[in-house]
Amino acid sequence: MNSPTDRKKVLVFRELPPDQLARLQAVHEVTVANPRLPEQLPAFQAALATAEGMIGSSYPVNEALLASAPQLKVISSVSVGVDNYALPALAARGILLCHTPGVLDETVADTVFALLMASSRRLVELSNLVREGRWTRNIGEDLFGFDVHGKTLGLLGFGRIGQAIARRAALGFGMPVLYHARRPVDLALQAPELQGRALHTPMADLLARADIVVAMLPLSDSTRGMIDASVFGAMKPGAIFINGGRGATVQEDALLHALDHGTLRAAGLDVFATEPLPMDSPLRTHPKVTALPHIGSATFETRHAMAELATSNLLQALAGERPAAVFEQA
Ligand SMILES: NC(=O)C1=CN([C@@H]2O[C@H](COP(=O)(O)OP(=O)(O)OC[C@H]3O[C@@H](n4cnc5c(N)ncnc54)[C@H](O)[C@@H]3O)[C@@H](O)[C@H]2O)C=CC1
Ligand SMILES: O=C(O)C(=O)CO
């Protein structure tokens, strides 16, 4: 047990699993308050005034919020993406930001692959046919799908998760992989199993050659709106587009235009510019779209591993140690 002076005020702003909450409560003075729930907002605001540490996810931590948190030293995000944090303001205030890289890679890659398969083979549409009693004759050409095995995959973003997707595609489905990233990856060092199977490729070339384009990009100033009409226009006719990164990297009007008036075959989307997806978004019911409610990492095992890593990050930071996963701005 640490001394009373070592006990710090911690604000948990999204539910944590009970075992991880208990780890924090054993050492620190913890307030649990979710600002998205109107009845908990006053408690959240009160706790902000004295909190030295915060842990949670997917809430906009902006300048105004930080101005109400004068004691804050560390934020531990239960996510790998950090686009909801005002990074320059955190840096200016000397607040450390931790996140959860690595522990979710395989699960998110599984989700993206499921979406890729569902979009290519029209699984949701055809399952609904059975469910709704419309399977009254043999399936004809109008409902045929698109082979995945052997097709060329184009990856926009080739980081931890992009490489996990590439392994599934190249090793499991015999797909040549082209990728676009800020810099080429040293495959011999980072992913030897992908040597000779994944190629750093200029964007225009990738778009012209890929049958399936998967975006696995973080949201930043350089990627916001990056997937626009010119990108959809440069894709191979009949291509499929999957987004497992962040919704706002895509210009959704341009995506809709490519589906309705261009040659894009289908889109599989786990993420959207606005989440939850607004009821009036045409993407919600579009016949060529398979939409998921941002479930990339949402399995029992992985969400627990994320919470565990985030809790360890926070405990280490508050103990004056270097946390395992500090977000480093590139
Ligand atoms: N759908 C979901 O539930 C999930 C979504 N994500 C999203 O996926 C993102 C990627 O995660 P990781 O693979 O761990 O990140 P990472 O940092 O390992 O990889 C990012 C990749 O994007 C590339 N990139 C960044 N900016 C670029 C630009 N302007 N142009 C071209 N390439 C660029 C980098 O070079 C790198 O290859 C996260 O930041 C998060 O937003 C992550 C987990 C779950
Ligand atoms: O970790 C992230 O960035 C997510 O989107 C959810 O796992």
Side-chain angles (χ1 to χ4, degrees):
M1 188 76 172
N2 54 353
S3 78
T5 50
D6 291 336
R7 283 178 83 78
K8 309 268 167 51
K9 295 204 166 141
V10 165
L11 171 54
V12 177
F13 62 99
R14 178 107 181 229
E15 321 76 74
L16 272 182
D19 60 338
Q20 300 310 309
L21 188 59
R23 284 177 72 201
L24 288 176
Q25 286 166 330
V27 189
H28 297 299
E29 201 178 308
V30 177
T31 302
V32 181
N34 182 345
R36 289 196 188 277
L37 303 175
E39 68 279 14
Q40 294 187 17
L41 192 56
F44 173 82
Q45 279 161 342
L48 260 188
T50 54
E52 287 188 51
M54 282 174 71
I55 181 167
S57 68
S58 57
Y59 187 74
V61 174
N62 53 26
E63 291 256 13
L65 185 149
L66 293 172
S68 318
Q71 309 295 328
L72 196 60
K73 296 188 177 51
V74 53
I75 302 178
S76 184
S77 191
V78 192
S79 67
V80 67
V82 293
D83 45 281
N84 54 311
Y85 300 96
L87 299 180
L90 290 180
R93 290 170 185 270
I95 297 170
L96 192 68
L97 178 62
C98 305
H99 67 151
T100 62
V103 292
L104 41 52
D105 299 349
E106 301 302 327
T107 297
V108 180
D110 283 351
T111 306
V112 166
F113 231 87
L115 202 44
L116 187 160
M117 294 300 294
S119 302
S120 305
R121 298 297 305 273
R122 304 169 69 165
L123 296 187
V124 176
E125 180 187 356
L126 293 172
S127 174
N128 283 340
L129 191 93
V130 180
R131 179 182 289 257
E132 292 160 12
R134 292 183 288 115
W135 184 27
T136 52
R137 60 178 178 83
N138 288 344
I139 294 304
E141 264 194 17
D142 54 329
L143 293 174
F144 284 176
F146 182 68
D147 271 338
V148 171
H149 65 269
K151 290 285 165 57
T152 298
L153 176 68
L155 269 168
L156 307 180
F158 193 62
R160 292 167 291 251
I161 303 171
Q163 289 172 36
I165 296 167
R167 278 196 299 278
R168 283 159 178 72
L171 308 178
F173 287 76
M175 301 170 78
V177 176
L178 311 176
Y179 75 88
H180 170 75
R182 271 182 308 196
R183 55 190 77 87
V185 169
D186 183 344
L187 292 177
L189 208 64
Q190 290 185 39
E193 68 283 12
L194 290 175
Q195 272 185 297
R197 301 178 198 268
L199 197 65
H200 186 240
T201 308
M203 179 96 156
D205 203 19
L206 179 154
L207 296 174
R209 288 165 59 194
D211 299 295
I212 300 169
V213 176
V214 172
M216 205 60 236
L217 290 161
L219 180 61
S220 68
D221 289 346
S222 72
T223 60
R224 187 177 296 277
M226 173 177 149
I227 303 170
D228 60 8
S230 72
V231 170
F232 288 114
M235 285 183 195
K236 191 170 168 175
I240 287 175
F241 174 68
I242 307 292
N243 191 7
R246 282 291 183 266
T249 61
V250 174
Q251 295 192 10
E252 290 179 344
D253 287 353
L255 168 60
L256 280 162
H257 191 272
L259 287 166
D260 290 334
H261 306 291
T263 61
L264 196 64
R265 184 185 302 270
L269 309 170
D270 185 42
V271 287
F272 300 88
T274 303
E275 296 179 3
L277 187 60
M279 287 302 279
D280 63 355
S281 168
L283 292 171
R284 196 170 62 84
T285 52
H286 198 289
K288 293 183 179 175
V289 172
T290 304
L292 297 177
H294 197 146
I295 58 158
S297 64
T299 64
F300 289 112
E301 300 91 331
T302 292
R303 283 289 169 85
H304 191 273
M306 291 164 69
E308 193 170 8
L309 174 55
T311 303
S312 297
N313 283 335
L314 184 59
L315 288 170
Q316 286 158 347
L318 291 175
E321 296 159 15
R322 175 86 182 160
V326 174
F327 176 74
E328 312 277 4
Q329 294 201 44

